Amino acid sequence: MTIDEIRDNFALLDEWDDRYRYVIELGRTLEPMPEDEHSSANKVQGCASQVWLSRKLTRNAAGEPVLNYLGDSDAHIVRGLIAILLTLVSGRTPQQILAAEPIAVFDELGFREHLTPQRSNGLRSMIERIKADARETVAAST
């Protein structure tokens, strides 16, 4: 699924109840995270729900580092938010991740008005964790 497909599907849904159901469905599409990845090292601090993000560093055809992520949460709606976030950042180079503005995409989809402050803070914590990974990867490759 691409972010454009998610945008198009959101545009078809007028009611936020339907949009929440769609977000929950997106969460069900996440690749399963192995149990050993549910570690304290992968746990994202600052989230009301339990959230884990694990990264795997690979290289693209040009030899550049690429960050790939698995994510999980104990909350259905948060799993959906993770699915949208990973659509934006997973499989990208650190430079692409650092240039991305995931909050702007979530705002465009209307989440600013429809997430609790705790969920919004958790989303920001996930984004900051991923951007920190990207900064760390850039620093390690220079």
Side-chain angles (χ1 to χ4, degrees):
M1 173 112 9
T2 68
I3 194 60
D4 289 333
E5 291 171 317
I6 292 171
R7 280 186 180 108
D8 291 346
N9 290 334
F10 247 74
L12 296 173
L13 303 170
D14 294 327
E15 299 295 322
W16 264 92
D17 284 347
D18 295 330
R19 289 180 176 188
Y20 281 130
R21 279 191 280 283
Y22 175 60
V23 170
I24 290 168
E25 284 302 314
L26 288 173
R28 291 187 177 121
T29 69
L30 281 175
E31 184 179 333
M33 179 181 265
E35 199 53 45
D36 63 335
E37 296 286 320
H38 290 89
S39 65
S40 59
N42 289 335
K43 191 167 184 185
V44 178
Q45 301 304 315
C47 297
S49 305
Q50 293 195 75
V51 174
W52 298 271
L53 292 172
S54 70
R55 69 179 162 168
K56 180 180 176 191
L57 183 65
T58 59
R59 301 239 171 226
N60 64 16
E64 301 170 304
V66 173
L67 293 167
N68 295 285
Y69 283 90
L70 291 178
D72 197 9
S73 176
D74 61 349
H76 294 297
I77 192 80
V78 176
R79 282 180 56 85
L81 296 175
I82 293 168
I84 295 169
L85 178 59
L86 296 189
T87 299
L88 295 168
V89 299
S90 192
R92 308 286 195 275
T93 66
Q95 292 81 2
Q96 290 170 320
I97 291 170
L98 292 170
E101 293 294 337
I103 287 292
V105 174
F106 280 92
D107 287 350
E108 172 194 334
L109 294 172
F111 282 103
R112 182 178 294 268
E113 299 85 26
H114 291 92
L115 288 180
T116 65
Q118 294 87 351
R119 293 247 195 272
S120 293
N121 289 338
L123 179 60
R124 283 185 184 80
S125 294
M126 288 185 271
I127 292 167
E128 182 49 41
R129 165 72 172 274
I130 290 169
K131 291 213 177 223
D133 290 347
R135 286 189 295 272
E136 180 183 303
T137 303
V138 168
S141 61
T142 56

